[in-house]
Amino acid sequence: MDIQINTDKTIENSSRLQNYFATELQTALSRFQDKVTRVAVHFGDENKEKYDAKDKRYLIEARIANREPVAVTHFADTVEKAFDGAVSKIKSVLQTTFEKQREY
């Protein structure tokens, strides 16, 4: 599974951040390893310099072999919380997608 992490101009895109979130995603999605070919991640700060309670956006798009990609977005007040929420959502969406596929 190939993981690509992108950030907007307001969030520092350090190698430490890249490694941490890539490793965490790899672990969280390991049970889907053979079905998901690529995961694209997009971090963003919706309000830039202004503070808002839920202005950090974390979008995860998972590309599934021989199927349409699925995507989720989660907003929170910190990057870490946005990450945790989005990972929880993508795991749920992937689980549902593969359960439906198995039923057919």
Side-chain angles (χ1 to χ4, degrees):
M1 174 176 17
D2 181 36
I3 298 176
Q4 179 182 15
I5 298 178
N6 304 296
T7 63
D8 67 9
K9 297 175 191 174
T10 61
I11 297 180
E12 183 181 338
N13 192 3
S14 67
S15 61
R16 185 172 155 245
L17 177 123
Q18 293 257 343
N19 291 334
Y20 173 75
F21 287 117
T23 302
E24 291 296 312
L25 266 173
Q26 189 77 33
T27 302
L29 301 179
S30 63
R31 65 187 234 202
F32 307 112
Q33 180 84 21
D34 58 334
K35 298 173 183 156
V36 175
T37 58
R38 185 174 143 224
V39 177
V41 174
H42 303 278
F43 275 113
D45 187 332
E46 296 295 300
N47 294 335
K48 300 186 180 31
E49 296 87 28
K50 299 177 199 168
Y51 177 77
D52 188 7
K54 292 188 176 186
D55 64 342
K56 306 298 186 274
R57 175 184 46 82
Y58 195 96
L59 175 120
I60 301 175
E61 178 185 279
R63 301 226 175 230
I64 303 169
N66 301 319
R67 294 191 58 118
E68 292 292 317
V70 294
V72 298
T73 303
H74 190 78
F75 292 89
D77 58 342
T78 67
V79 172
E80 293 81 7
K81 288 179 185 176
F83 170 77
D84 290 340
V87 168
S88 179
K89 286 181 179 181
I90 196 70
K91 285 170 49 177
S92 178
V93 167
L94 289 171
Q95 180 66 36
T96 301
T97 299
F98 295 129
E99 283 177 359
K100 285 181 180 179
Q101 184 180 7
R102 192 175 22 219
E103 290 174 4
Y104 293 108

